[in-house]
Amino acid sequence: MTGTLTRKGAATRQRIIEGAAAEIRERGIAVTTLDDVRARTGTSKSQLFHYFPEGKEELLLAVAQFEADRVLTDQQPFLGDLTSWPAWYAWRDAVVARYLEQGQHCPLNVLVSQLGRSTPGAQAVVRALMQQWESEINRGLRHMRDAGEVDPDLDTDRTASALLAGIQGGVLMMLSTGRITHLEAALDLTIENLRKGGRTSR
């Protein structure tokens, strides 16, 4: 949607997005219709198309962005404050808890698949999520390096990329097998190896 929304308009649009997200989480994307979303959010057809003039695809893209934002929100405040080993372990636990609670149904993955992974909108949502996630990890690594808690020669860019890749691989294994152990291993081994390069041990 183009143009600037009033505060009330922005709140209404957000209510529609959150209602659609809840509907998709509960019932699945295949059976969720715009009528379902309207009924859940108490909005009229004209109101829904006022905020999402391109219809269901535009709404689904907004829901995908909402779910992407939740991925990072669920890791806070720890992801934004990776300045000590207790904070790293708390973040590790938050990541594992998030995906345990989510289970094998990943709303963001389903939405991106529905929209088409090669479409610009879907790619932009995923790209922005991964860039911000990696940036937060990298910032934490730089802090730990400057504090002497990890190898002083640590390449934080590559390490952040590798850790995020490990997390994503662990999540994919969980979605495929229902087991969280691969995600736990990716996090635990990385943190353990980082600590071995620093001046302190756990």
Side-chain angles (χ1 to χ4, degrees):
M1 180 180 177
T2 58
T4 302
L5 295 175
T6 63
R7 181 176 297 180
K8 182 178 179 181
T12 300
R13 185 177 188 274
Q14 186 64 23
R15 187 180 78 247
I16 295 171
I17 292 170
E18 293 181 11
E23 195 74 18
I24 290 169
R25 278 177 171 261
E26 292 175 12
R27 305 181 67 233
I29 197 170
V31 298
T32 297
T33 66
L34 292 180
D35 286 340
D36 296 326
V37 175
R38 289 198 303 106
R40 187 178 192 117
T41 59
T43 54
S44 65
K45 185 174 182 179
S46 61
Q47 199 174 21
L48 191 147
F49 278 94
H50 171 71
Y51 294 108
F52 303 96
E54 296 179 22
K56 188 173 183 179
E57 183 171 338
E58 184 178 4
L59 175 57
L60 290 181
L61 186 59
V63 175
Q65 182 62 65
F66 173 74
E67 292 291 356
D69 292 341
R70 285 186 62 172
V71 171
L72 298 179
T73 300
D74 288 349
Q75 299 176 51
Q76 300 297 356
F78 312 110
L79 178 60
D81 188 32
L82 295 173
T83 56
S84 67
W85 290 122
W88 278 83
Y89 287 111
W91 169 65
R92 175 264 186 215
D93 291 344
V95 173
V96 171
R98 182 198 191 279
Y99 286 103
L100 275 174
E101 181 179 358
Q102 175 184 282
Q104 288 181 269
H105 174 69
C106 177
L108 180 58
N109 185 56
V110 171
L111 285 159
V112 170
S113 296
Q114 177 72 22
L115 290 164
R117 294 185 181 277
S118 61
T119 60
Q123 284 187 336
V125 168
V126 175
R127 185 183 306 114
L129 167 62
M130 295 304 166
Q131 287 176 342
Q132 186 176 349
W133 199 347
E134 185 174 335
S135 176
E136 295 277 14
I137 295 172
N138 197 347
R139 183 168 59 182
L141 288 169
R142 291 197 303 270
H143 178 94
M144 299 301 278
R145 184 184 61 188
D146 293 344
E149 298 293 336
V150 300
D151 186 339
D153 296 323
L154 182 73
D155 186 331
T156 63
D157 292 336
R158 286 175 59 84
T159 303
S161 296
L163 178 50
L164 183 55
I167 292 171
Q168 290 302 297
V171 171
L172 180 60
M173 291 296 293
M174 191 206 69
L175 294 176
S176 301
T177 68
R179 297 176 59 203
I180 199 74
T181 52
H182 298 87
L183 176 58
E184 291 176 319
L187 288 161
D188 292 342
L189 289 176
T190 300
I191 295 174
E192 180 183 336
N193 287 332
L194 285 169
R195 294 203 66 169
K196 287 178 179 178
R199 65 189 179 193
T200 62
S201 60
R202 188 176 185 180

